[in-house]
């Protein structure tokens, strides 16, 4: 028997428990992507407003403001999202525009 003064808490065979210091796990924020609408001379303005309301949850006033910005400047930002969300929104808008026979273009770019 021991008197409790033995270090390592084992039977002297070197099989004691070692506590390793906890390393800090740094989580990196995901890259963000801007979803943009491109102007064309054929897609009706009201259709663009509808797209902004439906796929980007914009109110009528904000959707109209973005649509006019696209009309006057050639491009306008619909929102900023993670890669997967931005990719999904671009696909949804493009599919919806094709289904309604409009040449509206929607793209994404890294912020």
């Amino acid at each position: 028997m021991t008197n409790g003064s033995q270090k390592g808490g084992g039977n002297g065979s070197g099989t004691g428990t070692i506590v390793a210091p906890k390393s800090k796990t740094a989580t990196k924020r995901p890259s963000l992507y801007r979803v943009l609408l491109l102007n064309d001379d054929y897609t009706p303005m009201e259709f663009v407003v509808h797209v902004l309301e439906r796929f980007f949850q914009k109110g009528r006033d904000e959707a109209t403001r973005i649509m006019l910005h696209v009309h006057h400047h050639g491009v306008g930002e619909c929102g900023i999202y993670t890669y997967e969300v931005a990719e999904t929104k671009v696909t949804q808008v493009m599919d919806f525009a094709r289904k309604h026979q409009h040449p509206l273009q929607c793209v994404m770019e890294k912020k």
Side-chain angles (χ1 to χ4, degrees):
M1 289 236 147
T2 62
N3 62 7
S5 63
Q6 185 178 1
K7 291 188 180 183
N11 58 10
S13 63
T15 60
T17 305
I18 298 174
V19 177
K22 212 173 204 181
S23 63
K24 214 176 195 183
T25 305
T27 54
K28 192 175 96 173
R29 294 190 81 108
S31 297
L32 296 177
Y33 292 80
R34 298 171 64 208
V35 176
L36 308 169
L37 284 179
L38 306 179
N39 189 43
D40 64 73
D41 294 333
Y42 304 101
T43 304
M45 292 179 177
E46 190 56 39
F47 183 80
V48 175
V49 170
H50 178 69
V51 164
L52 290 163
E53 291 173 333
R54 179 173 177 166
F55 297 104
F56 299 98
Q57 290 71 48
K58 304 295 183 190
R60 176 65 88 179
D61 291 342
E62 187 176 7
T64 301
R65 184 186 56 76
I66 294 169
M67 176 274 298
L68 288 172
H69 188 273
V70 171
H71 181 69
H72 292 294
H73 297 95
V75 64
E77 182 178 281
C78 305
I80 300 172
Y81 307 95
T82 59
Y83 180 84
E84 291 81 9
V85 174
E87 185 177 47
T88 299
K89 292 208 179 272
V90 168
T91 301
Q92 288 174 329
V93 169
M94 295 293 287
D95 290 348
F96 189 70
R98 296 303 156 267
K99 179 181 173 187
H100 290 87
Q101 300 178 351
H102 294 300
L104 182 65
Q105 293 292 304
C106 186
V107 297
M108 59 189 260
E109 70 176 24
K110 194 167 186 175
K111 187 170 188 280

